[in-house]
Every structure is written in structure tokens, then in C-alpha cells.
Amino acid sequence: MEKGKFTFTIIKPKAIKQGHMIGIFNMIDQAEFKIRAMKMTHMSIDDAKEFYSIHKDKAFFDSLIKFMSSGHVVVAVLEKENAVEDFRNLIGSTNPAEAKPGTIRHKYASSLTENAVHGSDSNENAMKEIAFFFSRREIFNIQ
Ligand code: ATP
Ligand code: MG
């Protein structure tokens, strides 16, 4: 898997509950990302703690873990040149109140915690996060 061409996303529980999955994937498609793997799953509390372990000492950690394990999520591997940076631009600021029009969080996020989507913040983390959720067998058309 060539580093730099892939990123990883989670459509978070509230966005799934509100029926925004198709709208979000439509924006991802319009921005010319290719979906190389995708599935619906439910993160356990331990999954969420491990996935967001970098934030374990932050004041918001418990609410983040509770939220991320509160319902189904959809996880996906996305391919595009400059995938990590382009996807961070497409999703917009962490706080939806600051997310620009045209971004996923501006359109679909309800609050700082319930901010609709996750996007990897570096190539290294993208590779780690993909391996956290997907086996090689599940990833379509990746050398
Ligand atoms: P994500 O990792 O989910 O893509 P992000 O990279 O934009 O989000 P991070 O700094 O990694 O932002 O924070 C992870 C998540 O923790 C955010 O998506 C948000 O829901 C929550 N979070 C971040 N900062 C705060 C804060 N100050 N107060 C409450 N929740 C926060
Ligand atoms: Mg992050």
C-alpha cells in the first residue's frame, strides 16, 4: 500500500443515526476520492479508547469514547493523490461552528463531539488506522 495515496474515515454514530451516510459519501465521491474498502461496525468502549489513545489525558476523552461507542459507524479506506490533506480540507474544522461552507462538518456535524466524521491526520496514522479496522483481504484493489 503506497503511503500518501490513502486516508481513513469514520462516519460517526450520530451522522449514521440521522441518515447522513449517503449524503456524506456523495460529497466524498464528488471530491474524487475512490472508496477502496468500507464496512459498518460498532466500536466497543475498548476499541474507542485504543483508537483515540492519543487523547487519553484530555478532559474530553470520556465523552469522546462514550459517543464513539454509542452506535454504529461506517469505516472506509479512501484513495486520492494527497489523500490525507485533501480529506482534512473536505471535512473542515474539528469544531463545526468553525467549519467552512462546502465542508462535510459544516453540512452534517451537530457539535464538537458529534462532528459527523473522522479523518486521519497523517500518512502514518492513516496506515495504522486502516490496519486497526481492515484486514488486507478486505481492501479492494490495493497493491
Ligand atoms: P478526528 O480525529 O475525529 O478526525 P480531529 O482530528 O479534527 O477529529 P482531534 O483533535 O483528533 O480532532 O480530536 C478528536 C475528537 O475529539 C474530535 O473529533 C472531537 O469530537 C473531540 N474533541 C477535540 N477537541 C475537543 C474539545 N476541545 N472539546 C470537546 N471535544 C473535543
Ligand atoms: Mg484527530
Side-chain angles (χ1 to χ4, degrees):
M1 223 168 135
E2 199 184 322
K3 239 162 84 171
K5 287 178 68 177
F6 297 94
T7 192
F8 169 79
T9 189
I10 304 176
I11 315 301
K12 298 186 180 184
K14 179 95 174 271
I16 296 294
K17 279 181 190 153
Q18 291 182 324
H20 295 322
M21 182 188 81
I22 301 292
I24 290 170
F25 275 112
N26 196 31
M27 288 180 76
I28 291 171
D29 186 54
Q30 291 286 309
E32 297 185 351
F33 289 87
K34 294 206 172 1
I35 299 165
R36 292 307 190 199
M38 179 170 69
K39 63 186 169 189
M40 184 172 269
T41 185
H42 192 139
M43 295 174 81
S44 66
I45 288 173
D46 284 346
D47 289 336
K49 282 184 177 166
E50 190 177 338
F51 186 81
Y52 279 115
S53 60
I54 193 165
H55 297 305
K56 65 178 165 19
D57 297 325
K58 307 263 173 64
F60 59 81
F61 187 66
D62 286 351
S63 55
L64 176 62
I65 296 318
K66 195 171 168 200
F67 170 60
M68 289 303 292
S69 57
S70 68
H72 284 85
V73 295
V74 170
V75 292
V77 177
L78 305 176
E79 180 179 358
K80 189 179 191 272
E81 291 300 330
N82 204 34
V84 166
E85 191 184 349
D86 283 7
F87 192 66
R88 295 289 299 194
N89 288 335
L90 177 65
I91 69 180
S93 301
T94 307
N95 184 348
E98 289 160 16
K100 295 198 182 104
T103 63
I104 292 174
R105 283 171 169 165
H106 181 266
K107 185 154 188 198
Y108 292 114
S110 18
S111 68
L112 184 50
T113 301
E114 299 172 328
N115 62 1
V117 283
H118 161 78
S120 305
D121 60 10
S122 68
N123 291 327
E124 286 69 27
N125 285 339
M127 293 297 134
K128 281 189 208 158
E129 292 169 3
I130 289 166
F132 187 86
F133 281 97
F134 292 99
S135 71
R136 289 195 66 81
R137 201 177 312 113
E138 292 175 298
I139 301 176
F140 173 68
N141 202 17
I142 291 178
Q143 281 78 42

